[in-house]
Amino acid sequence: GSSVYFHRFDTFGKTSDKDWVYALPDGERVLGCATGSGWCGVMTSRRLLRLFTVGGIQGPIIWLPGEPVTIVGRDRFMAVIYHRSMSPMQDGTQLLGYSIIDGVNGTTVATGDVSALSPGASLTWAGFTETCALTVMDSDGMLSLLARPNNELSSVGNWVPFLDTVGLKKSISDNFWPVEVNGGRLVCVLLRGGKEHPDAARRPVTTTLKLRMPMATCLSMKSGVEEEASVRANIALDQRKLYDDVLVSEGKADSEDIEEEYDMMCRQVDKITLKLFNTFITARKVERALDLANRFHTEKTYDIAIMAADRMNLGRLCEKLEDMKNQKFPPIDEGFGDEDSYDSGMDERRSDRFDDEPKITSRQQLVEMQRISPDALHTPQKGRSGHSTDEETPPAESLKRKFDDDEANNKSSRRRVNPFAKKRLESPAKGIMKMPLSPARPTLSKAKSRPNRR
């Protein structure tokens, strides 16, 4: 059988022990291999997938559903592509399937059919993006990506065409040899003259092609560029969210930092969608604008869209956007701040506080409890001779009078004084104005001036 030789570039142990070799059973040949973070995988002619750790420990051995075609890996994941059927379709299209497997523990993450092949084409390349999204290219130059949904409703992804390189060729004999997909671009090597692969003796010169989905052209208005950017940005955001969840589950990233980064990316994607939204409302395409609002991610984006529609005097659209916003971001019920709830809570706390106190049935009892201390209610103890002892209490009337005076003093001291009130200023001439300017004239009373009548 074949032998598997693994060469490590770094180790914390002995340098002589960093490499390891395994020999497969007789008759079993290695058809492909891949490696990632902490693992390596080998697919063999017996339709087996053998997993190893980077230290040389054998992992699980997995049966493949069909004849293996290729294997790729990145970070924690590997993808094995196999034949679902050895006989192709009537037009010559290959029937392929894929399985995405966790290379550390050997569990299957996703599986399905490779339907991203043009009619009559075959698979020429497969790889992962920087967010561990599986991508393939067929012999017709169509690059496709497996868009896995970012929800719990479905775990099966859909293949989406992300770049058609046919229109980018300057000659029919030109070909693009893919290297990787990173940052929204395809890193590849341009091959001219009908070459199928670059020259191994020389270092190839790479070029980058910006990803662009083959969207249909709208004849009524020009919005193809914004539509394509919005669709592709939302798909990339979902794939980023899936990859961030994996990083958080492994403890390689902080959840708060990942959430903050995701919110920032949502705002950037919404900016692209808002440009298309403004294009639609400017052209009075209110139905398209309302459908596009389903792609908004933040509450602030809805507010901006409502303001933009209001400036264009689109009242019905504003109402529908407001309803959509309330459904996606329900308003917070601030019942705690209501006065009724506050008063009811205070009443409950007051009732709990005074449950243990004795009930008051008369006003006289209330006055006595407020003014007379418990010590004043005790009767004076008398000795055998009938006279009061040295420990008897003072008379009730004098004690009651004393507490009345204390209460009056407390009321006067508790009088509220406004520190911001203006002081009353009197004019210095006020005393002079009160003095009479001239002596008063003597007047006779009515009794003296009235003559006596008989």
Side-chain angles (χ1 to χ4, degrees):
S2 301
S3 297
V4 179
Y5 176 81
F6 188 86
H7 173 75
R8 298 181 63 183
F9 295 99
D10 190 14
T11 180
F12 63 90
K14 294 182 179 180
T15 308
S16 58
D17 297 336
K18 65 183 181 65
D19 301 340
W20 48 266
V21 181
Y22 275 97
L24 300 183
D26 295 339
E28 187 174 357
R29 297 180 295 104
V30 175
L31 300 180
C33 61
T35 185
S37 298
W39 61 270
C40 68
V42 175
M43 61 180 187
T44 67
S45 58
R46 297 182 62 181
R47 286 172 41 192
L48 294 178
L49 176 63
R50 297 179 178 270
L51 298 180
F52 300 88
T53 66
V54 293
I57 302 298
Q58 295 190 63
I61 304 174
I62 304 172
W63 280 103
L64 296 178
E67 292 293 329
V69 176
T70 185
I71 180 174
V72 294
R74 183 162 186 167
D75 202 359
R76 189 185 179 96
F77 304 102
M78 74 173 72
V80 180
I81 298 178
Y82 52 86
H83 285 282
R84 290 191 294 114
S85 175
M86 295 304 297
S87 59
M89 300 176 64
Q90 294 181 357
D91 56 0
T93 307
Q94 292 180 335
L95 296 176
L96 304 178
Y98 72 91
S99 293
I100 300 177
I101 302 172
D102 190 335
V104 177
N105 52 31
T107 58
T108 301
V109 178
T111 184
D113 299 337
V114 182
S115 57
L117 298 178
S118 303
S122 59
L123 181 69
T124 57
W125 178 83
F128 281 105
T129 65
E130 73 277 9
T131 57
C132 291
L134 182 61
T135 55
V136 297
M137 179 178 279
D138 59 12
S139 56
D140 284 353
M142 179 67 74
L143 178 70
S144 304
L145 180 139
L146 179 62
R148 296 168 56 193
N150 183 23
N151 53 51
E152 298 179 356
L153 300 178
S154 176
S155 59
V156 180
N158 296 320
W159 290 98
V160 180
F162 255 47
L163 179 64
D164 188 3
T165 61
V166 175
L168 303 177
K169 296 180 180 180
K170 296 182 179 180
S171 176
I172 301 177
S173 60
D174 292 346
N175 291 318
F176 292 99
W177 195 78
V179 178
E180 66 170 350
V181 178
N182 193 349
R185 294 178 177 273
L186 172 64
V187 182
C188 58
V189 178
L190 177 59
L191 302 178
R192 299 184 182 276
K195 295 183 179 179
E196 297 181 356
H197 53 79
D199 189 2
R202 296 186 302 173
R203 184 176 181 177
V205 178
T206 60
T207 183
T208 58
L209 302 176
K210 187 177 180 180
L211 300 181
R212 184 170 182 178
M213 301 175 64
M215 305 289 289
T217 303
C218 182
L219 301 179
S220 59
M221 59 181 301
K222 295 181 180 180
S223 60
V225 178
E226 291 83 359
E227 282 188 277
E228 187 274 334
S230 177
V231 174
R232 182 163 47 86
N234 281 274
I235 294 176
L237 182 63
D238 290 341
Q239 308 312 305
R240 185 69 192 184
K241 180 61 176 176
L242 289 172
Y243 183 66
D244 289 342
D245 293 341
V246 174
L247 295 180
V248 172
S249 63
E250 294 178 357
K252 295 182 179 180
D254 185 29
S255 59
E256 296 181 358
D257 296 340
I258 290 297
E259 190 68 24
E260 183 178 356
E261 182 181 357
Y262 178 73
D263 293 341
M264 182 181 64
M265 294 180 64
C266 287
R267 291 192 294 269
Q268 293 176 355
V269 173
D270 285 351
K271 287 182 181 179
I272 300 174
T273 310
L274 276 175
K275 291 181 180 180
L276 183 59
F277 181 85
N278 291 329
T279 304
F280 286 152
I281 62 175
T282 303
R284 299 288 174 172
K285 304 292 185 181
V286 292
E287 295 290 343
R288 297 186 184 183
L290 183 62
D291 294 340
L292 187 66
N294 291 315
R295 300 179 186 176
F296 293 157
H297 297 87
T298 62
E299 187 176 2
K300 185 178 179 180
T301 307
Y302 278 98
D303 296 335
I304 296 174
I306 293 172
M307 293 174 59
D310 184 60
R311 286 196 299 266
M312 301 297 295
N313 297 325
L314 302 175
R316 294 289 301 276
L317 180 60
C318 292
E319 295 177 0
K320 293 184 178 296
L321 289 174
E322 190 71 30
D323 296 339
M324 187 181 298
K325 169 190 168 184
N326 294 333
Q327 290 179 1
K328 197 169 185 178
F329 302 96
I332 301 175
D333 187 9
E334 298 180 355
F336 181 78
D338 296 341
E339 294 182 359
D340 297 337
S341 61
Y342 179 77
D343 294 339
S344 62
M346 290 295 295
D347 293 339
E348 292 178 359
R349 288 192 290 271
R350 288 174 181 171
S351 61
D352 296 341
R353 181 179 178 184
F354 295 106
D355 282 344
D356 298 335
E357 296 186 1
K359 295 182 179 180
I360 300 173
T361 58
S362 64
R363 182 176 181 82
Q364 184 64 23
Q365 186 178 359
L366 176 61
V367 173
E368 291 179 357
M369 291 186 64
Q370 290 180 348
R371 296 183 177 181
I372 303 175
S373 64
D375 295 336
L377 298 177
H378 295 298
T379 56
Q381 299 179 0
K382 295 183 179 181
R384 294 180 180 179
S385 59
H387 299 285
S388 60
T389 60
D390 297 338
E391 298 178 357
E392 65 183 7
T393 58
E397 292 296 333
S398 60
L399 183 63
K400 187 175 181 180
R401 196 179 302 111
K402 179 181 179 182
F403 276 96
D404 290 342
D405 297 339
D406 294 341
E407 186 177 358
N409 294 333
N410 292 335
K411 286 183 178 179
S412 61
S413 62
R414 289 195 302 266
R415 183 179 299 168
R416 296 182 178 180
V417 178
N418 186 3
F420 301 100
K422 296 182 179 180
K423 294 183 179 180
R424 188 175 183 180
L425 301 178
E426 296 183 356
S427 174
K430 188 175 182 181
I432 301 176
M433 295 299 293
K434 290 182 178 180
M435 297 177 61
L437 299 177
S438 63
R441 296 179 181 179
T443 58
L444 298 177
S445 62
K446 293 181 180 181
K448 293 181 179 181
S449 62
R450 184 183 301 172
N452 295 329
R453 294 179 183 181
R454 292 183 179 178

